[in-house]
């Protein structure tokens, strides 16, 4: 993460990351790296037996391609996150701009 990036918790288990002045493919690479890093974590909990493993379902919405106001971008991101979860989780979903 760069000092210019902005991370907030949004909802119960959701986070929003704002990558300022970042190309779509670079944002995708960053989110995939985050997903991979978290996927490689195994946290031991005393008395629980097995370590806890994590997965990340994520999406990318790009300004102004996917919307030019915050609520439209968040709605787009929410739809893509639902798609990621319905597609089996542990993946990053993007728009047509990556084709």
């Amino acid at each position: 993460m760069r000092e210019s990036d902005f991370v907030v918790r949004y909802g119960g288990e959701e986070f929003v990351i704002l990558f300022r002045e970042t190309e779509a493919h670079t944002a995708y690479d960053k989110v995939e790296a985050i997903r991979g890093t978290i996927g490689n974590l195994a946290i031991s909990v005393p008395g629980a037996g097995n370590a806890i493993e994590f997965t990340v379902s994520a999406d990318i919405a790009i300004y102004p391609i996917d919307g030019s106001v915050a609520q439209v971008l968040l709605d787009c991101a929410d739809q893509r996150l639902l798609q990621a979860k319905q597609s089996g989780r542990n993946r990053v979903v993007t728009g047509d701009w990556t084709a």
Side-chain angles (χ1 to χ4, degrees), residues 57 79-89 91 93:
S57 298
Q79 290 173 355
R80 289 186 182 146
L81 181 58
L82 182 60
Q83 181 184 354
K85 291 178 179 180
Q86 291 175 339
S87 300
R89 300 182 183 268
R91 65 192 68 234
V93 173

Side-chain angles (χ1 to χ4, degrees), residues 26-59:
T26 303
Y28 177 83
D29 291 344
K30 287 180 176 219
V31 174
E32 274 292 351
I34 292 167
R35 188 183 69 79
T37 299
I38 292 172
N40 288 327
L41 292 175
I43 298 177
S44 298
V45 177
N50 295 335
I52 298 172
E53 296 178 355
F54 299 91
T55 62
V56 174
S57 298
D59 63 272

Side-chain angles (χ1 to χ4, degrees), residues 1-95:
M1 305 296 295
R2 302 169 302 178
E3 192 172 310
S4 63
D5 297 336
F6 189 67
V7 181
V8 296
R9 187 174 187 158
Y10 186 80
E13 298 177 346
E14 298 173 359
F15 293 83
V16 172
I17 303 174
L18 173 64
F19 297 117
R20 294 181 178 186
E21 299 179 11
T22 302
E23 297 291 328
H25 68 279
T26 303
Y28 177 83
D29 291 344
K30 287 180 176 219
V31 174
E32 274 292 351
I34 292 167
R35 188 183 69 79
T37 299
I38 292 172
N40 288 327
L41 292 175
I43 298 177
S44 298
V45 177
N50 295 335
I52 298 172
E53 296 178 355
F54 299 91
T55 62
V56 174
S57 298
D59 63 272
I60 299 172
I62 301 293
Y63 171 88
I65 296 168
D66 294 314
S68 59
V69 296
Q71 191 57 56
V72 173
L73 283 169
L74 289 170
D75 289 345
C76 178
D78 194 45
Q79 290 173 355
R80 289 186 182 146
L81 181 58
L82 182 60
Q83 181 184 354
K85 291 178 179 180
Q86 291 175 339
S87 300
R89 300 182 183 268
N90 200 30
R91 65 192 68 234
V92 178
V93 173
T94 65

